[in-house]
Each structure stands twice: as structure tokens, then as C-alpha cells.
Amino acid sequence: MNTTPYVIGIGNAVMDIIAPTEEARLADLCITKGIMQLVERERSEFLMAAQADDHSTRRDQARMVAGGSVANTLAGIGGLGLRTAFIGLVADDEIGRLYARQTEDAGTRFVNAPRAGVDLPSSRTIIFVTPDGERSMNTYLGISAELGPDDVDPAVFDGAGWLFLEGYLFDKDKGKAAFLKAAECCHAAGGQVGIALSDPFCVDRHRADFRQLVAGPMDYVIGNVHEWQALYQVEDLEEALRQAVADCGTVICTRSGDDAILIRQGERVEVPVRRVVPVDATGAGDQFAAGLIYGLACGRPLDVAGRMGCVAASEVIGHVGPRPEADIRALFGAAGLR
């Protein structure tokens, strides 16, 4: 019997289509520099064509990389040696097939085969990187946002110890239903269920449902200062955390460069972050979650799991891209965390 901890994630399956460009090109394309914005299908296809036709871009510098918040977290957890599976949707098109293949090649089981005969294409983020390293992201959610309870197979949860959900998928009722079904399946398998709040605007849109989720089937919840304050509609972080721990057994709060706060069943620890000059902050939260969940899944003390999260986050912001490039286990060893 395989006793390696088994972690399942549910999230948006978004292909990152990345290419360098010149500053002036952003203005030509009416792209706001340095932010992520949602775009419609027609706009995404226009930007993909413009990116491919960008004469300032060398062909060998453009790349497509499987992404998405929870998928990035699973890649980090899998790289640390745990079994992982990802529940997400892609279409049976070039992007979707590549996404599934890259996910499997990275060691994470891609549960749902690319879907044929659908109107919506696979999700993608068209990313323009200027010489100063800023990433301007244009995301079309496509079929990914259509994930529902029928896409959650209870058999996948056999042996699952941990489930991690992506708050971004909470925008549609079918996504909420998928979360509840997955949580039930994971609990039936004896596992722990958690969610990343993902975005304060998403929390604002669905506050009542998020509150029910946090106070109901969630065993652990990860959020930043703004997300916790938005959830409980308070400006005082301590008051937000007081309400959170009354609702949920394990509460984690990241604070953008300040100590992370972790609270579990009356135990509270504050874990210092490793201060480095960020090259690309994309993926910091995803890899913090990876290190944290790895530590919790392996039964490490709360402060050790939190420090693992901080080590993983500090590595990923030191280079371009949302997934680790260094040996994170070696970094854990160097920090005395093995």
C-alpha cells in the first residue's frame, strides 16, 4: 500500500502564453501594464495573434506553460515528493492537450481528459513581459470556469489525505457545487479540506457563501490580510482572525512581506518571511501554499509547516515564473527544516 500523502487540487486549468515585448507595444495594444485583467474570447484571440506577430519577440523566447493557482501549488507539492492529482477542465484543442500533457509530465495526475465537442476553448493567460520584468496578464477563462459537480469523480479521492480548492472557481453555482461534492468525498476518505480565498473582490461578490464554506466543510483556509478583512467586513485584522478561528479549525494569514500568522486549535505562531528582492512575485502565494500543505500533510508542527511555506515562496519570487526552479527540499534542509 502506498502511504505517501496524497493531495488533490481543484482549480482553473489556465495555460500561460508568455513572451517578452517592448514597452511601447503595450500602449499599441491598449494593455495596462503590470496587472491581470479578464478578457473575452475575441480579445484573447486578438492578443494571441498580436503576440505571435510581435517582431520584437524572438521565437525562442516565447513559451506556453501550464498554470493556474492551484495547479501551481500542486506542482510545488509534487516536486516535494507527494502524490498529487488535479481536477480541472480543458478542451480537446491544442492548448488543452498540451496543458494535460505538461501536467502529467510534471508528476501530477490530470484527472479529466480534454473535452471534445464543446463550444468553449481551453483557458489561457496571454502574458507580455517588458524589459523591466513586469508581467501584464490577460486571462480568458474559457471552459475552465465551467467545472461542475459532474467533473468530480468520488473514486479519485480513494486514499486522499488533503484537498485544496481555488476561490476563483467560486464565481459560478456549478463551481460551488463541485467544491461541496469534493469536500464530501475527501472527508469520506478521511482527509482534510481547505481553500485559498484567492481574491478580495471574489470574496466581496460571494461573501455569504464563502462564510458558509469556511464555517462548514473547510478544515483549513489560507488568505491574505485583505481577503480576511473582506470576508468579515472589518478593518482590524485581529478582529477578522478572531472571527475566522471561531469558524474554522486552521486559519492562515499571509501579510506581503510581514510575518505569516498561523492559528490552529488555540495554537498561534508567527513565521518570519525571508526577505529577498523579488524578480517576479507571481506564484508567491501558490508556493507558500505548497510548502505549507506539504508540511501539514507530513505531520510537521505548525511553525515548521509555515516556515516551509515561506521558504518555498521566497524561492519562487527570485526568478521569473510561478513554479519552483531550485530543489526546495534542499532549501528546507539548509533552513533546518528536514
Side-chain angles (χ1 to χ4, degrees):
M1 179 179 178
N2 191 339
T3 58
T4 303
Y6 176 29
V7 182
I8 297 173
I10 300 181
N12 282 308
V14 184
M15 181 68 80
D16 291 341
I17 305 174
I18 310 167
T21 193
E22 297 301 322
E23 198 88 30
R25 184 68 168 155
L26 298 183
D28 292 342
L29 297 172
C30 299
I31 294 171
T32 303
K33 180 181 175 180
I35 69 166
M36 191 284 286
Q37 57 185 353
L38 294 176
V39 298
E40 297 299 324
R41 179 174 181 173
E42 183 178 359
R43 172 69 171 166
S44 77
E45 291 172 351
F46 168 77
L47 291 176
M48 286 178 65
Q51 191 183 61
D53 192 45
D54 190 343
H55 299 297
S56 68
T57 297
R58 286 172 42 196
R59 292 287 179 178
D60 61 348
Q61 291 179 305
R63 55 200 175 106
M64 291 202 292
V65 183
S69 180
V70 162
N72 290 334
T73 296
L74 290 174
I77 295 171
L80 289 166
L82 303 192
R83 290 190 298 148
T84 54
F86 179 55
I87 299 173
L89 289 186
V90 296
D92 188 14
D93 53 23
E94 179 184 4
I95 288 176
R97 291 188 293 271
L98 179 60
Y99 189 98
R101 186 164 65 250
Q102 287 188 356
T103 301
E104 293 273 352
D105 289 347
T108 291
R109 178 187 173 193
F110 192 76
V111 172
N112 298 313
R115 183 166 295 179
V118 293
D119 293 330
L120 292 173
S122 297
S123 309
R124 77 288 305 261
T125 296
I126 304 99
I127 303 174
F128 295 83
V129 185
T130 43
D132 60 0
E134 284 275 10
R135 294 157 64 96
S136 304
M137 299 180 284
N138 305 268
T139 301
Y140 170 63
L141 290 177
I143 195 174
S144 179
E146 298 302 311
L147 186 138
D150 290 345
D151 302 304
V152 178
D153 181 359
V156 173
F157 292 82
D158 184 23
W162 295 80
L163 172 66
F164 189 44
L165 308 171
E166 183 177 310
Y168 286 124
L169 269 178
F170 217 59
D171 267 330
K172 293 191 175 183
D173 288 342
K174 62 178 66 176
K176 298 173 187 177
F179 281 3
L180 293 174
K181 180 178 179 181
E184 181 179 338
C185 292
C186 187
H187 281 149
Q192 298 281 300
V193 179
I195 191 170
L197 295 177
S198 295
D199 184 285
F201 300 109
C202 187
V203 172
D204 285 337
R205 290 192 296 272
H206 307 285
R207 182 175 293 105
D209 286 337
F210 265 122
R211 289 282 299 270
Q212 288 183 352
L213 199 65
V214 170
M218 295 302 103
D219 301 297
Y220 65 100
V221 180
I222 303 172
N224 65 28
V225 173
H226 306 296
E227 290 154 3
W228 284 117
Q229 290 171 330
L231 185 65
Y232 293 102
Q233 293 182 281
V234 295
E235 294 185 4
D236 179 41
L237 175 62
E238 289 301 324
E239 174 58 22
L241 295 179
R242 185 192 68 78
Q243 294 188 49
V245 297
D247 286 342
C248 181
T250 301
V251 171
I252 298 99
C253 178
T254 58
R255 298 192 290 171
S256 299
D258 291 328
D259 293 359
I261 300 171
L262 297 86
I263 308 171
R264 181 176 63 185
Q265 297 174 350
E267 176 189 9
R268 174 172 173 149
V269 298
E270 297 192 16
V271 178
V273 300
R274 299 180 64 194
R275 297 187 180 276
V276 298
V277 177
V279 173
D280 176 7
T282 308
D286 302 340
Q287 296 312 318
F288 174 84
L292 173 80
I293 294 170
Y294 171 82
L296 294 177
C298 293
R300 305 299 169 83
L302 190 62
D303 65 321
V304 173
R307 290 171 63 197
M308 287 177 163
C310 290
V311 169
S314 67
E315 186 279 338
V316 81
I317 67 174
H319 57 77
V320 174
R323 298 187 176 186
E325 292 183 353
D327 183 341
I328 303 299
R329 282 178 291 189
L331 296 179
F332 288 168
L337 299 176
R338 289 294 297 274

